[in-house]
Amino acid sequence: MKPTDNHTFRSRYYLLTAIQLFVPLFLLWASRFAFASYNSDLVGNPSFLRILLLSAGGLRFDLCVWAYLNSLFILMRFLPLAAVRRKGWIIASDIIYCLTNTVMLAVSCADIPFFRFSGSRLRLPAVADLFNDPNMTNIVISYTRDYWWTFALILLLAGVLAATAWICRPGPQCRLAQYGWKLRSTIFILTAFGSFCAMRGTLVIGRPLSIADAVWYIDSPPETNIVLNTPFCILRSVEGGSRIPQLKFMTDADAESIRSSVHTPADSLKTLKRKNIMVITLESGSKFWLDSLNDVPQAHKLGVMPFLDSIASRSLVNTHLLATGKRSVEGISAIFGGFPTFGDMLYMSSPYNANTVDSFVSLLKNEGYASRFYFGANHGSYSIDSFLKAMGFDSVIDRDSFADDSHHDGLWGIYDHAMGEYAALNISELQQPFVAGWFTLHLHEPFSVPSYWQPAPYRHNKPGPMRSAEYTDMALHHFFEIARTQPWFNNTIFIITGDHGSRDFKNTPFDTGYIQPHVMFLVYTPDGSIAPRRVTDRVMSQIDIGPTILGLLDYPKTYFALGTDMADSRSPHYALGYFNDQYTVTGNKYLITLGSSLDAPDKVFDITADPLLLNPLSSFDRTEVSEMIHWAQAFLQDYSSRMNSDRLRL
């Protein structure tokens, strides 16, 4: 470059700054190719073109973490002040630039070989565990010796950043005054707005980009790790990033003899009943909303869901289905993923979000089933839509794809009656057989109901759970009235359940530890192919719903599932829950809370004589309680092992 050219180049302040910012973004984006190449066997052996396509989706994640880490540098360089061109200011901003971007690229490079040990992009808890390890010094020394090339690559990239800062430093001949105060202020505002949008991963409206959003760019779960980058995962894993501790209580053979996650049909000669499946999950869908199922001592009938009560009279009903937790995302994970989420682990932002899961949806998809889910909330709400996509649903209809905000409630999403009507008609687009799902929204605070839609008078006129339960019942009635006119209706098995029990009856019998987790479980067939009856002698967990659906269809193949088919008489039937930082195991006679060591009961209750859990037993059948504890240990050992080794499938 000639001196005059260099003089001109060094005077272009905004161009120089833009080049500086581009270089670390490009290096972060390009590091994905090294990651995918080194770990090719773990991420699906993608071709170069496939990596390139996944990397295009990954650019949003790169922009997000790049904007966060360069925010101070951007602020220092784009402030519309004359001081930003001073030598000391430039040097200070370059130091910040080199430090923050070196850390960003170092983390990305270090995870290239480390991924082979962890099986997922690093999260914040894993980094914290490393720094808290008393053997950290020896670990780093060993890592340096075995993966010296990683440190060489980090030093090379740090050198590239330093060289970029040196070459692109504005010279003394730079005169910002030529741009004018108004123009500099406009550039600053536009840059700040662009950086803010990059941090969110979207425009101002909508939910910020999350780890779970990687699922929208992939064809198979392992590809998630190519789309993501490690600095972004650390940034976004403040919640939900913990790994499940590996639990070991017995030999694997002993655990397998107690309960098994490998299910072989009793009659493999049966052929698959190609019936449609529709799972309707009610927000706060406690079984006690239904008078016909309300067997709570000292509690009156509520009389708020007469339509669902009429459906229950024509359905196969299990009166003891227990939720695994108290959050919607936990219920949806159990129902459609077939696994619980004990504690604070959120699957889609956890290290396990690239695991391959044999959900009942994916198993039926392999048999030619189409699938679609209806969820009227905003795109990305609680990562439920991305979770459903990861579990095998072909598409999810949310508020954005519903595309008519005249039915928006102003908070949660599309009113249930409108989404139900849409679903009843839209399902007809699917080729039969299909799996469809609908998650209602409005049995939830602030308990809003539409003022413009009221097919019948409310018994409860004040806002609250009772009126919202009435509205939900009306919305379901509206859905079924439309659905029964559709060609797919008579060939469909409807499963009606809840994500968790109602949390809105504080200090009432409905709020006790055994009664509160109960959710409804109705199996309704318009053609009467499944005879109405009540199952009262067999406890069921939400994770049992998938295997039960496969059993109803006479699924003829061996498959993996943590849960158990309700009709399987060969397996024990218990429900494991996690409430208030304590595991509970529920059977037909006893509910036990486990001590911290998980090898002895903390308390034992007789749920037949004392469903309100008022009087823990001092004398009980120790053989039966011991069997319940051993079953829970076998389950937790198998669950933790399979989650950590990506074996949620055959």
Side-chain angles (χ1 to χ4, degrees), residues 18 65 143 276 320 435 468 495 503 540 545 573:
V65 71
Y143 197 87
N276 306 315
H320 296 298
V435 177
S468 287
I495 311 293
R503 298 175 295 220
M540 189 175 175
I545 291 177
H573 292 270

Side-chain angles (χ1 to χ4, degrees), residues 145-427:
R145 181 184 63 248
D146 296 338
Y147 302 103
W148 59 268
W149 54 268
T150 303
F151 291 87
L153 180 59
I154 292 171
L155 290 175
L156 174 63
L157 295 178
V160 171
L161 293 172
T164 301
W166 175 259
I167 293 170
C168 294
R169 73 191 188 285
Q173 65 274 22
C174 178
R175 295 291 184 267
L176 286 176
Q178 62 184 303
Y179 293 100
W181 168 258
K182 291 183 179 180
L183 179 58
R184 281 184 287 152
S185 297
T186 301
I187 293 174
F188 173 73
I189 292 171
L190 291 175
T191 303
F193 178 76
S195 299
F196 177 70
C197 290
M199 290 176 185
R200 290 178 56 82
T202 183
L203 296 177
V204 177
I205 299 174
R207 168 186 156 277
L209 188 70
S210 72
I211 292 173
D213 288 314
V215 74
W216 302 109
Y217 300 95
I218 66 171
D219 289 336
S220 62
E223 292 180 339
T224 300
N225 295 298
I226 301 177
V227 175
L228 295 168
N229 67 70
T230 303
F232 176 86
C233 289
I234 293 174
L235 177 71
R236 285 288 197 251
S237 61
V238 175
E239 182 182 11
S242 302
R243 296 195 75 88
I244 298 168
Q246 178 62 60
L247 300 174
K248 188 75 172 180
F249 302 98
M250 60 194 77
T251 67
D252 290 342
D254 286 342
E256 181 75 13
S257 69
I258 294 172
R259 42 92 46 218
S260 177
S261 294
V262 178
H263 301 270
T264 303
D267 185 355
S268 59
L269 298 179
K270 289 183 177 180
T271 58
L272 181 68
K273 297 176 183 176
R274 302 188 69 79
K275 304 273 286 186
N276 306 315
I277 295 292
M278 181 160 192
V279 181
I280 302 175
T281 307
L282 272 61
E283 167 64 50
S284 303
S286 168
K287 81 164 189 174
F288 303 108
W289 292 119
L290 304 187
D291 289 351
S292 59
L293 303 182
N294 186 350
D295 53 3
V296 179
Q298 307 169 24
H300 63 279
K301 307 294 185 181
L302 302 177
V304 290
M305 288 192 164
F307 172 72
L308 268 188
D309 262 320
S310 71
I311 290 289
S313 68
R314 293 171 278 161
S315 300
L316 167 63
V317 177
N318 186 302
T319 60
H320 296 298
L321 173 63
L322 299 179
T324 62
K326 291 189 175 183
R327 296 181 293 180
S328 294
V329 67
E330 292 174 316
I332 294 297
S333 296
I335 295 167
F336 295 99
F339 54 86
T341 50
F342 302 131
D344 62 356
M345 192 276 285
L346 301 177
Y347 181 81
M348 289 310 295
S349 56
S350 77
Y352 309 108
N353 68 341
N355 283 8
T356 302
V357 180
D358 270 352
S359 68
F360 78 89
V361 179
S362 62
L363 291 174
L364 293 178
K365 186 174 182 177
N366 293 337
E367 300 298 322
Y369 274 64
S371 58
R372 184 168 292 169
F373 198 93
Y374 300 86
F375 177 46
N378 294 327
H379 173 67
S381 178
Y382 294 95
S383 299
I384 287 175
D385 53 354
S386 53
F387 173 81
L388 294 165
K389 174 71 163 56
M391 292 304 106
F393 277 97
D394 295 328
S395 58
V396 179
I397 303 297
D398 56 18
R399 175 189 173 187
D400 293 343
S401 45
F402 182 82
D404 183 0
D405 267 1
S406 66
H407 297 292
H408 187 248
D409 66 5
L411 181 63
W412 290 115
I414 303 303
Y415 276 118
D416 290 335
H417 78 279
M419 181 55 79
E421 178 178 320
Y422 181 93
L425 297 171
N426 184 262
I427 287 173

Side-chain angles (χ1 to χ4, degrees), residues 250 255 258-260 541 543-544 562 564 571-577 584-586 625-637:
M250 60 194 77
I258 294 172
R259 42 92 46 218
S260 177
S541 169
I543 65 171
D544 300 330
L562 289 166
T564 303
S571 302
H573 292 270
Y574 299 113
L576 189 65
T584 64
V585 190
T586 306
V625 168
S626 178
E627 289 176 355
M628 294 172 69
I629 293 174
H630 288 149
W631 177 90
Q633 290 176 332
F635 179 93
L636 290 170
Q637 178 172 312

